[in-house]
């Protein structure tokens, strides 16, 4: 059967299904639609209904007056944020920290997956995977406590190795390196799971044919493994770009000091300080909404670029 004939047959099947009344299709597959209804309802309740509260970013919100009773101020809170003295610094720190994290941490799970996939001793392979996965299950609070101990100027492991007594967390120039390197250690192993699953689906006959043709291990990785990983890597890149401005609040807040704020002062921490500590609900909501809108724009841009470059996209 030719490709054109196959496409015509598929088109005819689709048209035949659409000719069946919707009620008939619902009645025939009601169990499936009922199962689908449960996550849809939960998503609407917990994701879309709370969006009603976004309007406080455009109001001078008073809890005693409620949403509709509070005065409408339009873009006042956005103007106040953009005119604040630390606005440019926070946006720059958020973008740079996110961009550097993506640049350095994104390739690591791919490289680890390619290396682990070459291991032939199954027991050793499982041990390596377990060791790499373990840091992901350590809470952020514990991770930050470990970082402070390792970087302590008195008896810290890093200072003992270097023979110094430097408090690295007080150095603004060292904050990004500390944040990114510890993030790679914590999440790189966990990120290999999806890539290893992709590599496990590669046809083994391709490796056998490559060996017969005399291809080296590096050539097999370059011509078989890497092309298989590209679609998944592109999807992961799109997802990462969508959260580019969403720097992990907990880790930054726990590692932040008065002396490293020049590089650690990010939007997420600022929203927490203004909204929770200072009870400026409208102002913090406006800043958070701006952060979300930037993420949406970045997601759309990266999705468009990825769809043109590799024919992989979400929409």
């Amino acid at each position: 059967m030719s490709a054109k004939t196959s496409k015509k047959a598929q088109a005819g099947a689709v048209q035949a299904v659409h000719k069946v009344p919707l009620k008939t299709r619902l009645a025939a597959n009601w169990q499936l639609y009922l199962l689908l209804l449960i996550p849809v309802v939960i998503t609407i309740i917990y994701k879309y209904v709370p969006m009603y509260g976004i309007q406080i970013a455009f109001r001078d919100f008073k809890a005693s007056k409620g949403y509709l009773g509070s005065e409408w101020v339009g873009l006042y809170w956005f103007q106040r944020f953009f005119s604040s003295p630390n606005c440019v610094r926070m946006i720059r720190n958020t973008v740079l920290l996110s961009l550097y994290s993506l640049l350095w941490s994104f390739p690591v799970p791919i490289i680890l997956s390619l290396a682990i996939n070459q291991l032939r001793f199954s027991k050793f392979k499982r041990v390596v995977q377990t060791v790499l996965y373990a840091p992901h299950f350590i809470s952020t609070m514990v991770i930050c406590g470990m970082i402070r101990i390792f970087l302590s100027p008195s008896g810290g492991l890093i200072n003992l190795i270097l023979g110094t007594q430097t408090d690295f967390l007080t150095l603004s120039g060292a904050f990004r390196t500390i944040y990114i390197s510890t993030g790679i250690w914590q999440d790189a192993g966990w990120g290999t799971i999806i890539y290893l699953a992709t590599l496990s689906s590669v046809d083994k006959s391709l490796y056998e044919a490559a060996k017969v043709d005399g291809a080296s291990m590096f050539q097999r990785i370059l011509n078989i493994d890497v092309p298989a990983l590209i679609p998944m890597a592109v999807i992961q890149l799109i997802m990462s770009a969508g959260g580019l401005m969403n720097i992990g609040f907990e880790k930054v807040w726990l590692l932040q000091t008065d002396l490293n704020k020049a590089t650690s002062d990010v939007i997420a921490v600022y929203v927490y300080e203004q909204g929770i500590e200072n009870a400026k609900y409208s102002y913090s909501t406006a800043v958070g909404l701006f952060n979300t809108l930037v993420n949406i724009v970045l997601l759309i841009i990266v999705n468009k670029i990825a769809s043109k470059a590799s024919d992989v996209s979400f929409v």
Side-chain angles (χ1 to χ4, degrees), residues 55-189:
Q55 64 176 295
I56 70 174
F58 306 94
R59 296 179 180 273
D60 184 11
F61 178 71
K62 305 293 183 184
S64 59
K65 297 181 179 180
Y67 291 128
L68 300 180
S70 300
E71 181 185 357
W72 183 270
V73 295
L75 299 177
Y76 169 76
W77 299 115
F78 295 92
Q79 294 172 353
R80 181 173 171 180
F81 171 64
F82 292 131
S83 61
S84 64
N86 294 330
C87 174
V88 175
R89 186 179 75 174
M90 285 186 293
I91 294 175
R92 183 181 67 247
N93 289 340
T94 303
V95 172
L96 289 179
L97 198 56
S98 300
L99 196 60
Y100 290 157
S101 296
L102 181 63
L103 178 65
W104 289 103
S105 63
F106 182 75
V108 175
I110 299 175
I111 296 172
L112 285 175
S113 302
L114 293 172
I116 293 172
N117 192 54
Q118 297 302 316
L119 297 177
R120 292 294 172 259
F121 297 101
S122 57
K123 290 184 178 180
F124 179 67
K125 186 175 182 179
R126 287 196 295 269
V127 171
V128 171
Q129 288 177 287
T130 302
V131 171
L132 292 174
Y133 296 163
H136 177 79
F137 297 98
I138 304 175
S139 70
T140 304
M141 179 70 76
V142 175
I143 288 288
C144 293
M146 294 169 62
I147 293 171
R148 288 186 174 275
I149 293 173
F150 290 151
L151 300 179
S152 173
S154 57
L157 179 62
I158 304 301
N159 279 295
L160 289 176
I161 293 174
L162 298 177
T164 59
Q165 291 185 335
T166 305
D167 190 354
F168 292 98
L169 288 177
T170 63
L171 303 177
S172 59
F175 179 82
R176 289 174 186 152
T177 302
I178 294 170
Y179 182 92
I180 294 168
S181 59
T182 54
I184 293 173
W185 169 69
Q186 187 177 10
D187 296 322

Side-chain angles (χ1 to χ4, degrees), residues 7-29:
K7 288 182 179 179
K8 288 182 179 179
Q10 292 176 358
V14 171
Q15 290 177 355
V17 170
H18 283 293
K19 287 181 179 179
V20 179
L22 178 60
K23 291 182 179 180
T24 304
R25 282 182 281 161
L26 290 174
N29 302 283

Side-chain angles (χ1 to χ4, degrees), residues 222-286:
L222 190 62
N223 295 288
I224 299 176
D225 292 342
V226 172
L229 291 180
I230 286 177
M232 184 57 64
V234 171
I235 292 175
Q236 291 294 102
L237 179 62
I238 295 173
M239 295 176 65
S240 300
L244 190 64
M245 298 286 284
N246 289 337
I247 283 292
F249 154 75
E250 299 91 347
K251 190 175 178 181
V252 175
W253 188 62
L254 291 170
L255 294 179
Q256 189 179 74
T257 64
D258 291 335
L259 297 176
N260 65 19
K261 277 196 171 184
T263 54
S264 66
D265 197 10
V266 297
I267 293 177
V269 175
Y270 186 68
V271 170
Y272 170 79
E273 292 174 346
Q274 297 300 317
I276 304 300
E277 294 182 355
N278 299 330
K280 297 179 180 178
Y281 304 118
S282 294
Y283 183 51
S284 61
T285 303

